[in-house]
């Protein structure tokens, strides 16, 4: 009979008192020594200025912190070398050595206020001008302006000459202000976020906050600007009503948890409501009900939530009552001993930091304050869903066990919940008055950037209640990351937390990992300075020539100057030449094109707008387009050679879907995964047809499974949309179709999944009700959710019991112990007392190699073999597998083991190692139950995007904090790795640089390299992608060694020869160090992409940083240059917009230099015939309008709209991008070619006119001559303008109507202006120049000939190049005209939008909804290793799944089904995979050491012992 769903309040599980492995890190070989050293140093009060080894062994990369490994903190101290530890005092007077002569604290801990923006209102003008005048051209034009104000140099209008520079400076400043404004707004919102801080209490660690004059000025300025901004918003708000539009939503919005104005506690949308009473359920030790715990609305005993009846079981002791074990404070409680006759082991007396004899003033209270007011040493209270304002040590929580749950998505990109524990000595600190009565000291290590390491100790005097007047004895409790809440995390599923601040502001770990917001300039902009310097040299030569000629001319005498000039300006030839030099500098100033910079700003702004407006990069799920945040580096996106990507949340969705399993030798589950489709595609199978067949079959099986399942049990918690495990044969076997043995095996398997976990359940009442699971890893939630869908529903926890609905019957299972997962154990276990039989059963799940090594020797040989075959087949489909096993324990055996476990759990020194030893004792002699396979789904289009980027010649490196096996698995799924690659796994176990050097040199030798400087120089010039034969996988510990000076170059060259590089277990700073190594070492353009705060350092270090603005935190987006919604949009950003922008900018700059050379050098030729006196050949308005109207619009439009090929062709032929990688669109050769072309054309433009007038035949029909300077200048100017515009037209690929119209208008304008301006007498000498000159046939003939002769070399060279030396783009353009790409027009224009192209079963099997995107670094995931985890006995040098690099293994016979009834039914997914594997070439696996199905069957149970062997007594060792 089906159990009715509970009515009333939604049930929420409550965590039990257990060891939380998930928050503890794996240690290196020197980890134990290091922790003992730190703890002993704390206990012995040793000096705190010991030398600490730098975590990377090298200097930090620019813009990043020291690159310590996330997984290597066991062997790292993490602190900066020479830093002092800090001591924080609470209600304890500072000792004399901690005070200065005035009695103030010596330590200066800094404020909690942070600023990620580059500018402040006061610093904007000077700082922005400082940055802008790093541009050498701006300095030059400022100097020219200063010169022009001296009339001696002959400048005609000094005021007018300042306008171009002012316009450029102002326009650039406005752009920079807009870019930085959003960062400033977010900073202010964050700094002013509300927090409950203890006030009316003296923090002895901080000086009184005295505001000096400078801070008053800054505050006043900020208030004024805020007032103006608020008034402006209010004014706009009156005009505009309604919600935000498309553009506003594209910007980063502030986090909800920090922007709430209400001080009241907010209910979480998915927070758990603990049925356990809060601390109010225990009798107050102080007996004062007047103490308000503001504002904690925790329910008192008996009070129900929202007026609904409680569903809490009755007849059980009050959970809030703690049982003391012989200690005065009764602070330690242990689980009840099931054997009354056996005594519980002696527990440790933790004591309390509250001094019961200290009088509290009673004035302190928790009041609402701002984040920026928080200081080191403050008490803070944090409520559910609030962000953590600083790095806080947890003293107490609303949970009686002292547990709290945090979400770290802003810190590491993960959205899973992580458990943190309150200090034992602080769990009684719950009220404000309790805080006043505390008396303790925290000795802490100095700030460092390692997110996963912290060492500290709290010290206090514990007074004996029997002798209150006694001196008390010193006590100490260590503090680790398990007790630390980091700034940027969010509190979840916990009503409140009370803690003390140890790091604030810039010293918090998230800020130390962020780095300074860099000011990025594009590569072309940096190289442009050299071209400007070359022009300066040319300019200097020209000015020097004019000065010398003028001086020599005046010095000669006996010339017409003596009769027509009234003396020189200088009075003597040398001074005349000196003055003429500076006059020439003003005359030829356009040689350095100031209009180029403002034009580039316009072009790049337009490019950014087009990127933002590209609807094919619009992510409609979150209403987010591709948002450029740095407008001036779009051309860099077209030169990217290396892309560095995070994995979790960037390549993957981190949505785990249970797909398949094997139970008692029978495989179940239908799925068609992305990895399987990729493997079939490599085999030449039509994936579209095969995928359609598979999906159709899965859809039918899904309907059949649901119908059969409801016949067995009307599961109220089964929701069709949530089912991902499609296996109708499993349901029929569960009903007994294949006999009672298989029925019992299937039920027992699902029961094991429902019991062996650490998830939290949350039930939503309704009809039908819905129950969801929140776990520290999404894969564990997927396992429990699948058990729920199959009728074994985990309902929640009640004290130490699990409530499970087993096919309609609700049962209670007592949890005796939970041995949680960590990356060294690769397994987790739950020891359960079964309700019917009172048996004690240990359920264990873990990596297949780990579980197989712990199976009972000599048992289940056939089951081992068949299960191993199935697991390998699952892994070949890209599924991540694990094994399930069990062991029945005797009562006496368990009680003996439990004593050892309790002693280990209460140890302070080496607690992790002792717990691991004790756990290892019990997790042996296991019995295999089965295995599971889960798919970690990639984001839509990731494999296609990676393949497309690879075809473009871009190398992709994955830098992730996840473990090695996970990264390899994802690498195969997303086409980054292939079965034909040799995997070079670099894992230096002994942490020895010599070993690392030998390893690198060994692999370099296989490529015939030594790592020399000559090889590095050659590598810098070689931009060809390496062949897809090798890939490197390296962990954080080994990477730390490789980043040292002696190995960096060798390691870089080794990576250069590998197609893919996966860096695993790396810290944020290590990511930045790797990016810097490649960027600086190979002199290449780099792009980093990530979605979490742990990616900020590498995003800022790379030339281009891209943040993914998904559902996660926005730290990466805030620090990025471009923000996109999905990884697949990267291909369009890079291959389309990046390539276009780079080609456009390169062509624009070259044409700018060319057109200014034509104009300026023509003036110089004229000076040679005028004694270089500095006079103008052209009418002055020509000079002003040449760069403004006559030639600017075509070249700007060229930079904005020119396209060599369309976006569809750019994606269809990604190889076109390689020209950007090789940087061939802007080279010094191209610069000098255009310069020489300009010099040649200036010669033609001037001398064609000169030769016309040289014979002195310039007499018109009316007898008037037109051979004066002004009229001759019309000849030269008009020919030059027309030539330049047609030249730009020749260099433009796309001739649309708009561009042709702009070119025509620009040409006609020079004639139009000549006619209009010369029509007025105010033109003086230029009056009537238009009819006089334009009316001459010689003008038109000369102009036509000048244009033809000038452009003929360029036209001839282009024709020759396209006919006889065509580039790739020329060939593609010819094919376009031939119609070979017409098929692209028939498809959707969004070639990059590959959504839906992945032929997986995900469209049919919806993802398991576990209450949000739960994320976790894989080292902390409770089991979900891939099929193969390299161990001491198994190592896989080529493949991720037990393959030898082929698609075939030698043990196909093991896949033959045994003769059993259930196998007679069709299994499409099983048969499809089997036939796929049978078609491939023979294997040479026997010659290699692989972890495959065959090897697993041969794997001895090396960690098991004989049943008669006695358990080793390690009590003495543990103590």
């Amino acid at each position: 009979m089906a159990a009715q769903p509970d009515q009333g309040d939604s049930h929420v599980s409550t965590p039990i008192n257990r060891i939380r492995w998930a928050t503890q890190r794996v240690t290196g070989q020197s980890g134990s020594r290091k922790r003992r050293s730190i703890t002993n140093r704390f206990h012995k009060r040793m000096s705190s200025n010991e030398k600490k080894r730098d975590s990377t062994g090298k200097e930090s990369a620019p813009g990043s912190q020291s690159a310590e490994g996330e997984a290597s903190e066991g062997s790292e101290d993490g602190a900066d070398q020479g830093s002092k530890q800090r001591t924080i005092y609470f209600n304890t007077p500072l000792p004399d050595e901690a005070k200065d002569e005035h009695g103030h604290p010596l330590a200066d801990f800094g404020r909690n206020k942070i600023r990620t923006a580059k500018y402040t209102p006061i610093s904007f003008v000077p700082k922005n001008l400082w940055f802008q005048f790093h541009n050498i051209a701006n300095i030059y034009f400022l100097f020219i302006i200063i010169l022009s104000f001296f009339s001696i140099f002959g400048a005609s209008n000094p005021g007018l000459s300042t306008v171009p520079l002012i316009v450029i400076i102002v326009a650039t400043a406005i752009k920079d202000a807009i870019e930085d404004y959003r960062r400033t707004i977010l900073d202010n919102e964050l700094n002013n976020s509300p927090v409950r801080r203890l006030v009316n209490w003296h923090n002895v660690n901080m000086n009184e906050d005295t505001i000096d004059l400078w801070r008053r000025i800054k505050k006043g300025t900020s208030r004024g600007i805020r007032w103006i901004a608020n008034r402006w918003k209010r004014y706009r708000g009156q005009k505009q009503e309604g919600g935000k539009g498309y553009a506003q939503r594209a910007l980063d919005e502030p986090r909800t948890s920090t922007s709430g104005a209400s001080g009241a506690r907010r209910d979480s949308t998915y927070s758990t409501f603990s049925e356990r009473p809060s601390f109010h359920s225990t009798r107050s030790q102080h007996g004062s009900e007047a103490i308000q715990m503001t504002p904690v609305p925790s329910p008192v005993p008996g009070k129900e939530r929202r007026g609904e009846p409680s569903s809490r079981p009755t007849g059980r002791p009050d959970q809030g009552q703690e049982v003391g074990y012989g200690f005065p404070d009764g602070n330690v409680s242990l689980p009840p001993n099931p054997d009354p006759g056996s005594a519980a082991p002696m527990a440790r007396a933790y004591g309390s930091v509250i001094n019961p004899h200290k009088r509290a003033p009673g004035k302190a209270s928790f009041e609402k304050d701002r984040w920026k007011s928080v200081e080191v040493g403050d008490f803070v209270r944090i409520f559910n869903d609030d962000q953590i304002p600083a790095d806080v040590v947890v003293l107490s929580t609303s949970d009686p066990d002292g547990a709290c749950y945090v979400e770290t998505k802003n810190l590491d990109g993960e959205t899973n919940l992580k458990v943190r524990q309150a200090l034992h000595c602080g769990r009684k600190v719950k009220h404000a008055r309790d805080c006043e009565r505390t008396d303790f000291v925290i000795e802490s290590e100095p700030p460092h950037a390692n997110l996963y390491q912290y060492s500290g100790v709290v010290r206090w005097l514990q007074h004996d209640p029997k002798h209150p007047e006694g001196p008390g004895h010193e006590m100490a409790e260590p503090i680790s990351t398990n007790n630390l809440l980091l700034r940027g995390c969010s509190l979840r599923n916990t009503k409140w937390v009370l803690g003390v601040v140890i790091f604030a502001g810039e010293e918090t770990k998230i800020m130390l990992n962020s780095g300074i917001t860099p000011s990025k300039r594009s590569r072309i902009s940096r190289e442009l300075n050299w071209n400007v310097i070359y022009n300066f040299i040319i300019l200097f030569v020209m000015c020097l020539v004019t000065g010398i000629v003028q001086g020599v001319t005046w010095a000669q005498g006996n010339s017409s100057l003596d009769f027509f000039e009234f003396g020189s300006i200088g009075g003597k030839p040398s001074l005349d030449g000196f003055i003429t030099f500076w006059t020439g500098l003003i005359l030829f100033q356009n040689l350095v094109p100031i209009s180029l910079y403002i034009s580039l700003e316009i072009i790049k702004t337009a490019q950014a707008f087009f990127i933002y407006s590209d609807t094919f990069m619009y992510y409609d799920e979150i209403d987010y387009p591709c948002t450029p945040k740095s407008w001036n580096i779009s051309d860099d996106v077209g030169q990217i050679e290396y892309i560095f990507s995070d994995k979790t949340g960037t390549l993957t969705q981190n949505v785990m879907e249970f797909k398949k399993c094997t139970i008692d030798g029978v495989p179940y589950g239908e799925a068609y995964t992305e990895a399987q489709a990729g493997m079939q595609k490599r085999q030449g199978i039509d994936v579209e047809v095969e995928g359609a067949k598979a999906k159709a079959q899965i859809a039918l099986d899904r309907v059949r499974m649901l119908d059969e399942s409801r016949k067995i049990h009307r599961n109220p918690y089964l929701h069709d949309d949530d089912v991902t495990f499609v296996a109708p044969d499993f349901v029929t076997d569960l009903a007994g179709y294949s006999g009672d043995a298989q029925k019992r095996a299937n039920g027992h398997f699902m029961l094991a999944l429902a019991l062996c976990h650490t998830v939290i359940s949350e039930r939503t009442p309704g009809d039908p009700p819905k129950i969801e699971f929140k776990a520290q890893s999404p894969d564990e939630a997927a396992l429990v959710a699948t058990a729920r869908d199959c009728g074994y529903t985990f309902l929640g926890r009640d004290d130490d019991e699990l409530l499970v609905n087993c096919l309609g019957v609700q049962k209670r299972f007592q949890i005796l112990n939970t041995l949680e997962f960590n990356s060294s154990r690769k397994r987790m276990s739950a020891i359960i007392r079964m309700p019917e039989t009172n048996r004690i059963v240990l359920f264990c799940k873990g990596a297949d190699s780990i579980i197989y090594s712990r199976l009972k020797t000599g048992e289940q040989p056939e089951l081992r073999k068949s299960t191993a075959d199935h697991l390998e087949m699952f892994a070949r489909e890209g599924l991540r597998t694990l094994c399930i096993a069990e062991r029945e324990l005797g009562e006496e055996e368990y009680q003996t083991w439990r004593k050892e476990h309790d002693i280990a759990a209460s140890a302070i020194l080496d607690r992790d190692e002792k717990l691991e030893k004790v756990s290892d004792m019990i997790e042996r002699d296991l019995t295999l139950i089965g295995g599971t396979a889960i798919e970690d789904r990639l984001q839509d289009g990731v494999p296609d995007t990676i393949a497309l980027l690879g075809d473009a010649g871009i190398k992709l490196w994955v830098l992730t904090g996840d473990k090695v096996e996970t990264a390899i698995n994802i690498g195969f799924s997303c086409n980054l790795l292939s079965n034909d690659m040799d995997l070079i796994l670099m894992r230096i176990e002994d942490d020895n640089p010599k070993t690392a050097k030998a390893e690198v040199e060994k692999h370099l030798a296989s490529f015939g390299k030594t790592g020399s400087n000559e090889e590095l120089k050659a590598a810098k010039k070689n931009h060809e992608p390496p062949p897809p034969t090798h890939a490197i996988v390296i962990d954080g510990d080994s990477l730390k060694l490789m980043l040292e000076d002696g190995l960096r170059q060798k390691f870089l060259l080794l990576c250069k020869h590998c197609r893919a590089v996966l860096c695993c277990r790396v810290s944020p700073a290590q990511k930045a160090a790797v990016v810097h190594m490649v960027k600086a070492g190979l002199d290449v353009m780099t792009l980093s992409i990530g979605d979490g705060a742990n990616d900020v350092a590498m995003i800022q270090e790379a030339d281009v940083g891209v943040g993914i603005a998904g559902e996660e935190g926005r730290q990466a987006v805030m620090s990025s240059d471009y923000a996109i919604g999905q990884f697949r949009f990267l291909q369009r950003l890079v291959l389309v917009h990046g390539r276009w922008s780079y080609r456009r900018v390169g062509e624009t700059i070259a044409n700018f230099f060319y057109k200014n050379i034509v104009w300026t050098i023509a003036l110089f030729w004229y000076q040679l015939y005028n004694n270089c006196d500095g006079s103008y050949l052209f009418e002055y308005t020509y000079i002003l309008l040449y760069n403004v109207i006559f030639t600017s619009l075509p070249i700007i439009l060229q930079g904005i709209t020119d396209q060599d090929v369309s976006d569809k062709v750019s994606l269809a032929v990604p190889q076109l991008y390689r020209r950007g990688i090789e940087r061939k669109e802007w080279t010094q050769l191209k610069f000098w070619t255009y310069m020489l072309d300009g010099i040649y054309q200036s010669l033609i433009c001037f001398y064609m006119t000169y030769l016309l007038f040289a014979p002195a035949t310039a007499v018109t029909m009316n007898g008037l001559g037109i051979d004066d300077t002004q009229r001759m200048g019309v000849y030269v100017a008009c020919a030059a303008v027309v030539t330049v515009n047609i030249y730009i037209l020749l260099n433009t690929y796309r001739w649309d109507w708009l561009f042709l119209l702009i070119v025509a208008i620009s040409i006609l304008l020079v004639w139009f202006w000549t006619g209009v301006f010369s029509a007025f007498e105010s033109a003086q000498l230029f009056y009537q120049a238009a009819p006089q000159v334009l009316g001459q046939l010689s003008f038109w003939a000369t102009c036509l000939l000048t244009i033809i002769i000038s452009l003929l070399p360029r036209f001839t060279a282009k024709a020759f190049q396209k006919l006889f030396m065509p580039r790739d783009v020329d060939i593609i353009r010819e094919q376009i005209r031939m119609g070979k790409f017409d098929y692209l027009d028939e498809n959707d224009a969004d070639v990059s939008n590959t959504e839906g192209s992945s032929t997986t079963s995900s469209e049919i099997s919806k993802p398991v909804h576990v209450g949000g995107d739960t994320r976790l670094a894989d080292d902390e995931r409770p089991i979900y290793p891939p099929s193969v985890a390299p161990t001491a006995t198994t190592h896989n040098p080529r493949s991720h799944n037990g393959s030898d690099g082929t698609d075939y293994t030698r043990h196909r016979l093991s896949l033959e089904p045994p003769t059993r009834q259930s196998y007679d039914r069709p299994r499409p997914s099983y048969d499809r995979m089997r036939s796929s594997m049978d078609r491939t070439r023979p294997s040479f696996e026997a010659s290699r050491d692989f972890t495959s199905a065959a090897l697993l069957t041969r794997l001895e149970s090396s960690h098991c012992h004989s049943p008669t062997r006695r358990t080793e007594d390690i009590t003495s060792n543990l103590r």
Side-chain angles (χ1 to χ4, degrees), residues 1505-1513:
H1505 49 74
S1506 173
T1508 59
R1509 178 182 173 185
R1510 300 190 55 173
T1511 302
E1512 180 183 2
D1513 185 6

Side-chain angles (χ1 to χ4, degrees), residues 812-990:
R812 291 176 176 270
F813 297 84
Q814 183 183 6
I815 309 175
L816 301 179
N817 294 91
T818 300
L819 310 176
E820 297 193 21
F821 173 83
N822 70 9
S823 56
S824 63
R825 285 164 41 80
K826 293 186 175 65
R827 64 190 183 277
M828 77 154 292
S829 300
I831 303 178
I832 306 294
R833 187 180 293 276
M834 309 303 285
E836 295 91 352
T837 62
N838 206 35
R839 295 183 301 122
I840 300 177
V841 179
L842 178 143
F843 293 99
C844 183
K845 61 183 178 183
D848 48 12
S849 58
I850 298 296
I851 298 299
Y852 266 66
S853 67
R854 295 175 178 276
L855 296 179
K856 196 168 184 178
T857 306
E859 295 188 1
Q860 302 176 295
E862 292 298 326
L863 180 59
R864 291 194 197 188
K865 184 176 181 180
S866 60
T867 301
D869 287 335
H870 299 156
L871 290 177
E872 181 181 347
M873 187 168 60
F874 297 160
R876 295 178 70 83
E877 296 180 72
L879 302 177
R880 299 166 47 154
T881 63
L882 62 113
C883 287
I884 311 296
E886 68 175 353
R887 178 190 175 191
E888 185 172 345
L889 305 175
E891 186 72 38
E892 182 179 355
E893 178 186 8
Y894 169 71
Q895 295 299 335
T896 302
W897 173 86
R898 181 182 176 180
K899 294 178 182 179
E900 311 296 338
H901 178 270
D902 290 341
I903 294 174
S906 61
I908 293 181
L909 297 179
D910 301 326
R911 181 186 303 168
D912 298 348
E913 288 78 3
K914 293 177 181 179
L915 284 172
E916 190 162 343
K917 289 179 182 178
V918 174
S919 301
D920 181 74
M921 293 168 53
I922 200 73
E923 294 170 326
R924 303 190 179 202
D925 291 337
L926 302 178
T927 300
L928 183 63
I929 301 177
T932 63
I934 304 180
E935 182 182 15
D936 184 4
R937 292 190 58 203
L938 296 171
Q939 289 187 13
D940 292 327
V942 167
D944 295 333
T945 300
I946 292 177
L948 205 61
L949 294 173
D951 291 340
I954 298 174
K955 297 87 174 176
L956 178 67
W957 291 23
V958 176
L959 311 178
T960 176
D962 291 339
K963 60 184 178 183
V964 172
E965 294 84 359
T966 304
I968 293 176
N969 223 345
I970 294 299
F972 277 89
S973 299
C974 66
N975 291 340
L976 183 63
L977 304 177
S978 69
N979 289 332
D980 296 327
M981 286 184 178
D982 280 323
L983 296 188
I984 301 175
L985 182 58
M986 303 196 70
R987 183 176 290 173
I988 312 302
E989 299 291 347
D990 58 0

Side-chain angles (χ1 to χ4, degrees), residues 324-335:
Y325 283 81
F327 299 102
D329 54 7
N331 193 42
V332 180
S333 61
L334 292 177

Side-chain angles (χ1 to χ4, degrees), residues 41 47-54 77 79-83:
R41 185 164 72 248
S47 174
S48 63
N49 56 356
E50 296 185 52
K51 296 292 184 180
K52 296 180 176 64
R53 183 160 64 94
D54 184 48
D77 213 356
D80 297 331
Q81 187 173 0
S83 298

Side-chain angles (χ1 to χ4, degrees), residues 664-678:
D664 198 24
V666 181
Y668 297 105
E670 303 297 327
Y672 191 68
T673 65
E674 290 177 331
Q676 184 179 355

Side-chain angles (χ1 to χ4, degrees), residues 9 30 98 258 412 464 650 1070 1086 1251-1252 1270 1388 1414:
D9 192 15
S30 59
T258 62
D412 54 16
D464 188 350
T650 302
Q1070 269 184 316
T1086 59
L1251 294 175
L1252 174 67
Q1270 300 282 350
D1388 194 319
T1414 55

Side-chain angles (χ1 to χ4, degrees), residues 446-463:
H448 60 80
N450 194 326
L451 296 174
Y452 300 103
Q453 177 195 355
Y454 176 75
S455 297
V457 65
V458 55
R459 299 183 182 278
W460 73 98
L461 286 178
Q462 185 67 40
H463 295 274

